Amino acid sequence: GEHKRAFECYEAVLGRDPHQTDALGNLASALFERDEFQACAAVYDRLTAIRRALPIPIVVRRGMALQKSGRMDEAEACFREAAKREPDDVRILANLGSVCIEQTHYRDADAALTRAFDLDPVNAYVLSMLAHARAHRCAWSGISDLFATLEQFIATLPQSSAWNVAPMPLLAMPLSPQVLLRAAKWWGSAFAPHRKPSNPVTKLGPDRRLRVGFVSSDFRLHPMASVISELLERLDRTRLETFGYGLVAADTGPVGTRITNAFEHFVDVSTASATQAVERIRADGIAILFDL
């Protein structure tokens, strides 16, 4: 658990031998655990340039880092390589299906997820993504049975299950409110801190204005931006100092430009880990933060 010293060790090794593959692999794993996915993917790039044939777990983790960094084509290639070597690994197939869905390659996702569900017919996550992919393809045959089975799974599976279900796709499915709530709690429990952090100490700025922050991935051509831009522009700057925190790279188009200009301060935290983003928001002295 002494992450700082571990990083210093890996960096010291790589300072003497930049091609030391064990140090590169361990450094990438440590960055992954800290949610620093872009840095992790960059280290894996260095590793694969030296050693092309990597163990399957490393190939999969590299694919996950690439996926979380937005390098979808490369992530898919990693998962396909892993699936070719381990064709009956449910986790690999689920990752492949998920990255295909993110790219709207629903037919490819269907093939991977169908195979995963055949191998693990009580996997609620795989079933939810399979139903999601088929709905996008308008492949209605048998989909009502998938929805009914999914409802039963979510209602009865213990929340200690290794696989939980992404709640957003479920909102487009005919599931009960109770099941949707259970899925949301189940998913959210994976992100809950082990200990509740202390509340930040906030004060009025030297100009006596209250600092207010807004966090979103949708400061771009998106309904949220359309309905909130004028509101932000009309906030009383004599009383409020506004900060926007963008969770994805800034949009340079007219909608993105307008909404970023509506803030007194705009901060791109798209490459930051969740911890780093929180630290930045606290350092800015935000008194009220809106999660949009």
Side-chain angles (χ1 to χ4, degrees):
E2 297 182 43
H3 300 293
K4 185 175 184 295
R5 291 183 63 196
F7 272 89
E8 289 170 355
C9 290
Y10 301 142
E11 294 290 2
V13 172
L14 293 168
R16 297 181 66 175
D17 180 3
H19 298 93
Q20 218 291 336
T21 55
D22 288 340
L24 286 168
N26 288 340
L27 178 60
S29 292
L31 289 165
F32 189 96
E33 294 298 334
R34 286 170 44 153
D35 295 342
E36 296 183 30
F37 299 115
Q38 290 189 329
C40 172
V43 174
Y44 276 134
D45 289 344
R46 290 168 59 188
L47 178 58
T48 53
I50 299 165
R51 182 181 170 191
R52 185 65 190 91
L54 296 170
I56 289 175
I58 293 181
V59 175
V60 171
R61 181 164 278 204
R62 179 176 182 239
M64 294 169 70
L66 290 166
Q67 183 178 4
K68 291 176 181 292
S69 301
R71 294 165 60 181
M72 296 300 178
D73 289 347
E74 296 168 273
E76 182 179 343
C78 283
F79 295 138
R80 288 199 180 280
E81 177 190 338
K84 186 175 180 179
R85 293 165 61 184
E86 287 286 350
D88 293 338
D89 188 306
V90 172
R91 191 171 294 274
I92 293 171
L93 292 166
N95 281 324
L96 176 57
S98 296
V99 79
C100 287
I101 284 175
E102 284 197 53
Q103 299 175 92
T104 69
H105 300 165
Y106 298 113
R107 189 175 297 277
D108 291 339
D110 194 316
L113 294 167
T114 297
R115 177 61 181 155
F117 190 59
D118 289 343
L119 293 165
D120 186 2
V122 293
N123 191 312
Y125 175 81
V126 168
L127 180 58
S128 69
M129 299 308 284
L130 178 59
H132 182 55
R134 289 191 179 173
H136 273 283
R137 291 179 54 220
C138 300
W140 307 124
S141 177
I143 201 167
S144 295
D145 294 335
L146 292 185
F147 291 147
T149 304
L150 181 59
E151 174 121 13
Q152 181 184 8
F153 280 0
I154 298 173
T156 59
L157 278 177
Q159 298 211 352
S160 59
S161 171
W163 295 87
N164 60 10
V165 181
M168 291 296 284
L170 304 183
L171 297 176
M173 301 180 192
L175 306 176
S176 69
Q178 292 84 357
V179 161
L180 294 175
L181 177 61
R182 191 166 199 264
K185 287 182 174 179
W186 192 1
W187 183 263
S189 65
F191 302 95
H194 297 300
R195 290 182 299 175
K196 187 178 186 300
S198 61
N199 289 330
V201 177
T202 58
K203 301 177 182 178
L204 291 177
D207 53 7
R208 306 294 298 168
R209 292 187 298 163
L210 194 68
R211 291 187 166 191
V212 181
F214 301 82
V215 181
S216 183
S217 58
D218 300 322
F219 296 136
R220 55 187 173 83
L221 187 59
H222 184 278
M224 193 284 298
S226 298
V227 300
I228 204 173
S229 292
E230 186 177 356
L231 180 149
L232 295 170
E233 291 164 346
R234 288 175 175 266
L235 292 177
D236 185 352
R237 292 282 182 92
T238 66
R239 299 172 61 202
L240 302 175
E241 186 176 0
T242 58
F243 293 72
Y245 299 94
L247 298 176
V248 299
D251 172 21
T252 58
V255 174
T257 300
R258 179 184 177 187
I259 195 166
T260 55
N261 288 341
F263 294 109
E264 196 164 342
H265 312 276
F266 185 80
V267 185
D268 182 345
V269 292
S270 61
T271 61
S273 67
T275 300
Q276 290 169 333
V278 169
E279 289 172 351
R280 172 59 193 264
I281 291 167
R282 288 192 168 207
D284 286 339
I286 301 302
I288 301 172
L289 185 71
F290 292 93
D291 179 358
L292 297 176

